[in-house]
Amino acid sequence: RSLTLMRSAARMVVVGIALLMLPTAALLAQDADDELDFAPPRFGILVQTDFNAESPLVENGFLVRTSRLSVAGTAGSQFRYFVQANLLTNRAILDTRLGFRFTRALEIEVGLVKSPFSTEFMRFRGSLPLTERARVVIMLAPKRQIGATAIANVGTTSIRGGVYNGNGQFDLTNDGPGFLTIGRIDHRIHLNDHGSSLRFAVNAAYSRDQSAPVPGISLTFAGTRQIAGADAELTVGHFLVATEIIAARLRPSSDPESDQEPDQESGLETDQKPWGFSLTGGWEVVPHHRVVGRLDFLDSGAAVTENVAEISKYLAIVGYTFQPIRYAKFSVEYRYDVSNRSTNALVARFQLARK
């Protein structure tokens, strides 16, 4: 155990030094090539510590949920970079993104990036209304991928499209013979001069997979994935209403490069059509104090097997957040399982975050 702690500490030191050296390397590059003007880097941090009670999924008590460091910056008017490290995992690099701006309306990003699917997934983890994302987002939305994303901004409309080929180290990879392709359209309407707005988006994705884990459905999915989703968010004064729906079609097939059949132990032998939605409401009762509620529905569509557990369809969540300053907040929430009360859970979170 002491050896593990020493390795974790050493990893934190190495990652921290690497992040600190990035702006230094940028400045040296500037001296060598005066055509690039590197702006001072911006450092970010995200630390979340949870206290779990009555939870059947994790051991009750304190848990360090997230510990991340990031550095971001620009080089001239066209280049920008972002690198983020997760200090709690063996493979520390979480994001490494390089962006190039052709014009004010057109940009391309390459590297290990968040796939442009689902507003809640794309949102900074430290800014989520609740402690975790909706279950349908966790299960079905494609996650971080290595690839390229094209971004076009026309007024208050943003159009994103990308091709990716998995990341080789995280869940929901698509390390098969084909690419994961994603398209997304996001539009925002400003309702007044006091910050009220309406935002809605639609997105779709397609991939061919050889051995992709789909949380709660299949441990080694081989076949094609078709995913579609839509979300909307209304902010009026101190009130927030948001909703999201995602549906997928999973079609298992033989390995595209061999005659081997999919892993029968995965519990996915026929087409499955999982889907779900979330409905979230928030109210800032007084400054720095907010209450949030969510109805979380998920139909995994998967048969219960030895390797695939039954997933409750309805989950109700109520939470309270106290945010005394911009970068720190305390949250507590209760998760009520409508069909299985034995899985109810109480979670408290202490957070320090700067994007």
Side-chain angles (χ1 to χ4, degrees):
R1 184 173 182 178
S2 60
L3 181 60
T4 302
L5 292 175
M6 291 176 63
R7 289 177 177 174
S8 299
R11 183 167 59 250
M12 293 175 64
V13 171
V14 171
V15 172
I17 292 175
L19 291 175
L20 290 172
M21 288 179 64
L22 283 175
T24 303
L27 292 175
L28 292 175
Q30 179 185 11
D31 292 338
D33 186 358
D34 292 332
E35 293 181 1
L36 290 180
D37 180 19
F38 281 86
R42 183 180 71 256
F43 294 94
I45 185 173
L46 176 60
V47 178
Q48 296 175 329
T49 298
D50 292 356
F51 180 81
N52 297 281
E54 304 180 16
S55 175
L57 302 178
V58 297
E59 186 176 352
N60 292 334
F62 288 99
L63 171 70
V64 178
R65 183 64 177 82
T66 306
S67 180
R68 301 179 184 177
L69 292 175
S70 66
V71 60
T74 60
S77 60
Q78 293 180 301
F79 291 94
R80 61 189 180 91
Y81 62 88
F82 176 77
V83 178
Q84 182 175 215
N86 185 350
L87 305 181
L88 298 180
T89 59
N90 291 328
R91 300 187 180 186
I93 298 301
L94 194 61
D95 300 273
T96 173
R97 182 174 72 235
L98 176 64
F100 178 79
R101 179 174 295 178
F102 294 94
T103 67
R104 299 186 65 179
L106 181 61
E107 182 178 1
I108 188 170
E109 293 181 344
V110 295
L112 176 56
V113 301
K114 278 188 174 183
S115 56
F117 193 105
S118 169
T119 294
E120 191 165 63
F121 171 66
M122 296 171 65
R123 177 166 290 153
F124 175 51
R125 181 174 175 82
S127 301
L128 297 176
L130 291 166
T131 59
E132 300 296 338
R133 296 179 173 92
R135 293 180 300 166
V136 68
V137 175
I138 296 174
M139 174 181 285
L140 298 181
K143 304 301 188 293
R144 286 173 168 84
Q145 296 279 324
I146 298 174
T149 307
I151 306 170
N153 297 304
V154 182
T156 58
T157 300
S158 176
I159 304 173
R160 297 172 182 255
V163 290
Y164 314 90
N165 58 284
N167 51 40
Q169 53 184 320
F170 301 114
D171 288 343
L172 283 178
T173 60
N174 64 304
D175 298 321
F179 286 101
L180 165 68
T181 57
I182 300 178
R184 175 180 172 86
I185 300 177
D186 187 305
H187 183 67
R188 181 181 297 271
I189 301 174
H190 297 284
L191 302 179
N192 55 41
D193 297 331
H194 303 289
S196 299
S197 64
L198 172 64
R199 186 209 52 74
F200 51 90
V202 293
N203 31 231
Y206 175 84
S207 70
R208 295 175 62 202
D209 305 300
Q210 274 186 262
S211 182
V214 181
I217 296 182
S218 173
L219 302 178
T220 54
F221 173 69
T224 60
R225 277 186 296 167
Q226 298 170 321
I227 314 171
D231 53 76
E233 185 174 279
L234 174 65
T235 303
V236 178
H238 300 291
F239 295 91
L240 166 71
V241 178
T243 185
E244 180 163 9
I245 182 171
I246 302 176
R249 183 180 184 182
L250 308 177
R251 303 181 65 183
S253 63
S254 299
D255 188 319
E257 295 184 345
S258 72
D259 295 328
Q260 183 180 358
E261 292 296 325
D263 182 4
Q264 301 299 315
E265 294 183 358
S266 67
L268 191 63
E269 302 177 11
T270 60
D271 287 15
Q272 301 290 345
K273 297 180 180 179
W275 74 284
F277 71 86
S278 65
L279 177 61
T280 307
W283 175 33
E284 188 176 20
V285 183
V286 294
H288 312 298
H289 299 266
R290 169 174 290 185
V291 293
V292 183
R294 167 175 289 175
L295 176 63
D296 186 315
F297 172 84
L298 178 62
D299 183 357
S300 68
V304 178
T305 67
E306 180 181 352
N307 297 311
V308 179
E310 182 178 5
I311 298 177
S312 299
K313 289 188 175 182
Y314 291 95
L315 190 67
I317 307 172
V318 292
Y320 159 78
T321 296
F322 171 55
Q323 190 166 3
I325 59 176
R326 180 180 179 183
Y327 300 119
K329 70 178 181 181
F330 166 75
S331 303
V332 59
E333 68 182 40
Y334 188 75
R335 302 171 186 172
Y336 178 78
D337 192 324
V338 176
S339 58
N340 186 4
R341 297 182 183 180
S342 64
T343 62
N344 294 349
L346 179 67
V347 180
R349 170 167 295 174
F350 306 86
Q351 172 181 292
L352 180 66
R354 183 181 188 272
K355 187 177 180 181

